[in-house]
């Protein structure tokens, strides 16, 4: 039985932290971006360091898991038995080829078990008669057979190098692996054709893609090999230089030596992330690493990557395992390959169709995919995707209304220190309690349908799609440290535009005013706190008359206020630049709507500094030494210290941030709004003296810029952090302060509307 790795430090999928680069990018903090190093042909380094690869593998891989290969077998027992029988026939043909081929005599005697065999044995042995070739062997390509044999005859030494293989180019290794896979595919087709009952199997083809990126890739990154579904005849298969991600079943990373195993894991993970984000119907992904003759299958989950035990093709047992895996992949159901049958391509219409199961009505709604709004930004975590779609069945004369479909893997278990989060339940509560309020219509996500994605188990039975169903063949001891997740999909209206598409600062002010009005109604009438305001979660709609209306989306991290307790240590939620100080510090001060208003101020500060849209961003000089960069670099504690100092007084915010706003007349309106919101939030006249500002009181003076670096400055805070924290003294006044904040932002909204109409 495989043993799970010791508990690893994980980054929660609720913490959208950023790399601590010193560069100041024009993209908004927290925007989805992925950088993957190029895969230079025949380069051993591949733009990474062995240390980084080792650290990545230690954190994300669970190795030598015995159940990984079983996860590829067909779900139906009869199909699984048949696949096993056909794999045995293909393996027999392979062994017959190895024993009887003239090329085999030239290459020496194969190892049967373990790693002790050498290319040439000095001990005389009595030769057994070579078995007769199995039917169909004559159809195999002689050159392909020779390449196949060269791979399995490669002798591996104890030091991790190969017997002469390190002098070989990776190109030769790829050809060997490709020939093996091609041979299995050819023989499988022949043994299937000899079956009495018809059977449809996939044709798996190994494409060598090292010289160029896949033709449908969003970047120039290159891959070693891709295992794809081919639709070609039994003849010799010509390798294609640029495979398509869309048709790729699994990626293959090839290395010459055993010592490069972790580098192969690391590179495979980078490439598989791109595969996952390219295929909109991916639930999970498979991959292969080949180091010398050692083959490992990798199962990419949401939080960990499970790697199989070694399949050594230099041994009979290893070859049999690899052949069985390839046959299972050719015969199993699409969901066993990682595909989602509830997102499928309709070849007749040339469109993707997305099913959304509604838990309440027990009805499946089908939508037509129009475009992908947000794709997965990380290999790990929720893997949230957002699609814009329209109803497939539309009985009216008007075009079908557009929907925002959100697909995510939500955690089902929460530590005692965290609050339970259930977006679907929150959306239902908001719809039921605010749905009749026309004044708020279109300013929040309105649930149309939603539930747990259903996967077919039999022709009549479905089951919830969970990580448990994906890992059903894995020993429970291995999964003890792997979080459990459930696959949810919701359809909401309306469909908004991203915040960076607003045309002016005045439109931005209108949008955020509408969003905070909806936010307040959701807090007070539904008892739900959003907790994750960011530039991605504030959107807008443009009406027929050209006017904008704010839209608050993404209630993934929202919680019931009744679940927030004073004695509970809250979890960190959001993206560093936008997180409230209490959120960053995970302080014991109770979270309220004031935390989200604080996040709004940070959002406006960022937009004021780098520009509200790309037109403004191209005209601004981006400098990495701006003080606001401290809001995104370093640890959560570092960012919290910087924000406490910058937000403490109106003057400190001006000096650190506002004075660096874009020098344009309309940005003066934004600066005025930011300063007013900050004053009401942190220096409200209704709050007591110890509830003023953002910093702890300094023992000797009020110089908040030197206080953070003096050892004695935080002494009072260490003795009683809540009693000395001004945020704690404003909690009971949150409703009163929110009323004042709403009044100010509404006043600025009215002024902005006036300027828009006059323009």
């Amino acid at each position: 039985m495989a043993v799970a790795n010791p508990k690893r430090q994980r980054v929660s999928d609720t913490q959208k932290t950023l790399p601590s680069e010193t560069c100041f990018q024009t993209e908004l903090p927290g925007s989805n971006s992925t950088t993957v190093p190029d895969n230079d042909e025949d380069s051993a380094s591949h733009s990474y360091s062995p240390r980084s690869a080792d650290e990545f593998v230690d954190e994300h891989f669970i190795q030598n898991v015995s159940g990984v290969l079983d996860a590829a077998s067909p779900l139906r027992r009869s199909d699984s038995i048949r696949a096993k029988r056909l794999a045995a026939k293909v393996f027999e043909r392979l062994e017959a080829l190895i024993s009887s081929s003239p090329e085999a005599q030239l290459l020496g005697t194969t190892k049967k078990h373990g790693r002790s065999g050498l290319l040439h044995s000095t001990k005389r042995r009595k030769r057994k008669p070579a078995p007769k070739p199995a039917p169909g062997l004559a159809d195999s390509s002689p050159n392909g057979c020779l390449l196949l044999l060269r791979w399995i005859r490669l002798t591996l030494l104890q030091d991790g190098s190969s017997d002469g293989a390190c002098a070989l180019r990776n190109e030769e290794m790829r050809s060997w692996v490709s020939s093996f896979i091609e041979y299995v595919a050819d023989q499988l087709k022949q043994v299937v054709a000899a079956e009495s009952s018809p059977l449809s199997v996939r044709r798996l083809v190994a494409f060598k893609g090292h010289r160029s990126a896949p033709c449908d890739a969003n970047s120039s990154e290159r891959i070693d090999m891709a295992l794809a579904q081919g639709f070609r005849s039994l003849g010799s298969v010509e390798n294609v230089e640029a495979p398509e991600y869309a048709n790729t079943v699994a990626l293959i990373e090839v290395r010459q030596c055993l010592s490069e195993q972790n580098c192969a894991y690391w590179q495979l993970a980078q490439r598989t992330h791109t595969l996952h984000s390219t295929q909109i119907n991916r639930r999970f992904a498979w991959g292969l690493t080949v180091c010398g003759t050692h083959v490992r299958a990798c199962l990419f989950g949401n939080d960990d990557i499970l790697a199989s035990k070694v399949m050594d093709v230099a041994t009979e047992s290893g070859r049999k395992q690899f052949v069985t895996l390839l046959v299972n992949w050719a015969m199993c159901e699409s969901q066993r390959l990682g595909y989602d049958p509830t997102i499928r391509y309709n070849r007749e219409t040339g469109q993707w169709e997305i099913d959304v199961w509604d838990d309440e009505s027990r009805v499946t709604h089908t939508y037509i995919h129009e475009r992908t709004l947000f794709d997965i930004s990380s290999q790990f975590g929720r893997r949230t995707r957002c699609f814009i779609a329209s109803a497939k069945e539309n009985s009216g004369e008007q075009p079908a209304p557009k929907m925002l479909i959100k697909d995510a893997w939500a955690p089902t278990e929460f530590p005692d220190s965290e609050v339970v989060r259930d977006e679907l339940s929150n959306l239902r509560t908001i719809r039921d309690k605010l749905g009749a309020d026309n004044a708020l219509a279109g300013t929040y996500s309105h649930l149309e349908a939603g539930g747990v994605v259903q996967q077919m188990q039999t022709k009549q039975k479905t089951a919830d799609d969970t990580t448990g169903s994906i890992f059903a063949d894995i020993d429970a001891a291995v999964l003890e440290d792997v979080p459990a997740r459930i696959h949810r999909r919701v359809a909401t209206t309306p469909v908004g535009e991203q915040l960076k598409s607003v045309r002016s600062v005045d439109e931005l002010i209108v949008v955020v005013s509408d969003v905070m009005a909806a936010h307040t109604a959701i807090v007070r009438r539904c008892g739900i706190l959003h907790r994750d305001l960011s530039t991605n979660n504030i959107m807008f709609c443009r009406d027929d008359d050209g006017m904008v209306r704010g839209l608050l989306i993404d209630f993934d991290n929202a919680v019931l206020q009744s679940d927030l307790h004073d004695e509970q240590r809250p979890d960190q939620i959001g993206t560093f630049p936008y997180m409230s100080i209490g959120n960053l510090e995970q302080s014991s001060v109770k979270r309220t709507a004031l935390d989200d208003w604080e996040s709004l101020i940070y959002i406006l500060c960022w937009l004021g500094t780098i520009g509200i849209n790309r037109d403004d961003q191209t005209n601004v000089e981006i400098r990495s030494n701006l003080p606001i960069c401290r809001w995104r670099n370093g640890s959560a504690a570092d960012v919290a210290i910087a924000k406490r100092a910058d937000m403490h007084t109106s003057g400190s915010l001006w000096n650190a941030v506002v004075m660096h706003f874009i020098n344009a007349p309309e940005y003066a309106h934004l600066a005025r709004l930011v300063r007013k919101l900050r004053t009401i939030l942190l220096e409200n006249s209704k709050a007591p003296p110890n509830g003023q500002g953002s910093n702890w009181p300094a023992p000797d003076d009020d110089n908040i810029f030197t206080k953070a670096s003096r050892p004695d400055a935080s002494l009072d805070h260490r003795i009683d952090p809540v009693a000395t924290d001004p945020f704690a003294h404003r909690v009971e006044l949150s409703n009163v302060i929110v009323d004042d904040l709403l009044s100010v932002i509404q006043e600025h909204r009215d002024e902005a509307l006036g300027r828009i109409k006059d323009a």
Side-chain angles (χ1 to χ4, degrees), residues 527-748:
I528 295 172
L529 186 61
H530 190 281
R531 299 198 310 164
D532 190 17
L533 289 192
S534 72
T535 53
N536 283 338
N537 297 338
I538 296 177
M539 305 185 76
F540 72 94
C541 300
R542 194 174 295 278
D543 297 332
D544 294 337
D545 60 1
M547 300 303 291
V548 295
R549 183 178 68 256
L551 172 63
L552 179 62
I553 68 167
D554 192 0
F555 290 82
D556 247 345
N557 292 314
V559 296
L560 295 175
Q561 283 191 303
S562 58
D563 289 342
L564 297 173
H565 306 293
D566 292 336
E567 68 276 5
Q568 189 176 42
R569 187 175 183 83
D571 47 342
Q572 285 183 329
I573 298 296
T575 310
F576 276 8
Y578 311 134
M579 289 166 64
S580 69
I581 293 171
N583 192 359
L584 287 163
E585 295 175 341
Q586 285 189 282
S587 74
S588 56
V589 177
K590 185 178 180 180
R591 300 290 183 270
T592 68
L594 298 182
D595 288 88
D596 286 349
W597 279 93
E598 186 183 340
S599 293
L600 175 68
I601 294 175
Y602 299 141
I603 292 171
L604 297 179
C605 286
W606 275 105
L607 294 173
T609 303
I610 70 173
I612 61 170
N613 52 40
R614 294 192 181 277
D615 290 337
D616 289 349
Q617 289 170 10
T618 57
N619 296 324
V620 65
E621 180 184 358
I622 302 303
R623 302 188 305 276
S624 61
N625 60 345
L626 289 176
I628 197 173
C629 289
R630 298 187 302 163
W631 293 5
R632 72 185 295 259
N633 295 334
S635 66
D638 295 332
V639 175
I641 290 173
K643 286 184 175 181
R644 279 191 181 270
D646 294 343
M647 293 286 287
H648 188 58
T649 68
S650 181
S652 62
L653 181 62
W654 171 266
N655 292 327
V657 179
V658 179
M659 70 176 295
H660 299 289
F661 275 19
I662 291 177
N663 186 17
E666 63 173 344
Y667 280 85
H669 302 306
L670 186 62
R672 188 162 56 92
L673 173 59
V674 166
R675 297 185 76 181
K676 281 191 176 181
L677 291 176
R678 183 238 152 249
T679 299
I680 293 174
L681 179 66
L682 302 182
E683 292 183 315
N684 197 291
S685 60
K686 298 166 187 174
N690 55 359
Q692 302 293 317
S694 59
N695 233 330
W696 299 291
D700 298 324
D701 56 63
D702 295 326
N703 189 336
I704 52 91
F705 293 104
T706 60
K707 184 189 92 56
S709 61
R710 294 207 327 270
D712 62 335
S714 59
L715 179 61
D716 294 338
H717 168 66
R718 292 200 302 269
I719 295 173
D720 191 350
V722 174
T724 58
D725 192 344
F727 288 94
H729 297 284
R730 291 190 290 265
V731 169
E732 299 301 324
L733 296 172
S734 61
N735 285 333
V736 175
I737 295 175
V738 167
D739 287 338
D740 293 344
L741 291 166
L742 277 175
S743 177
V744 165
I745 204 168
Q746 181 65 48
E747 174 187 335
H748 280 256

Side-chain angles (χ1 to χ4, degrees), residues 94 148 151-152 176-184 322-323:
L94 174 63
L148 180 157
W151 182 35
I152 65 177
W176 297 349
V177 177
S178 176
S179 298
F180 190 103
I181 294 172
E182 179 186 340
Y183 177 85
V184 172
F322 192 28
V323 168

Side-chain angles (χ1 to χ4, degrees), residues 340 342 357 359 362 451-456 462-465 487:
D340 188 345
T342 65
W357 168 257
D359 287 343
R362 313 296 293 176
V452 179
V453 175
Q454 299 296 296
Q455 293 292 337
M456 295 296 299
T462 62
D464 291 349
D465 193 16
H487 191 186

Side-chain angles (χ1 to χ4, degrees), residues 361-381:
S361 64
R362 313 296 293 176
V363 172
T364 296
H365 302 266
T366 301
Y367 300 93
I368 303 300
H369 173 272
E370 295 189 6
R371 65 186 176 95
T372 300
L373 187 62
F374 295 116
D375 214 328
I376 59 173
S377 59
S378 173
Q379 177 72 33
F380 305 103

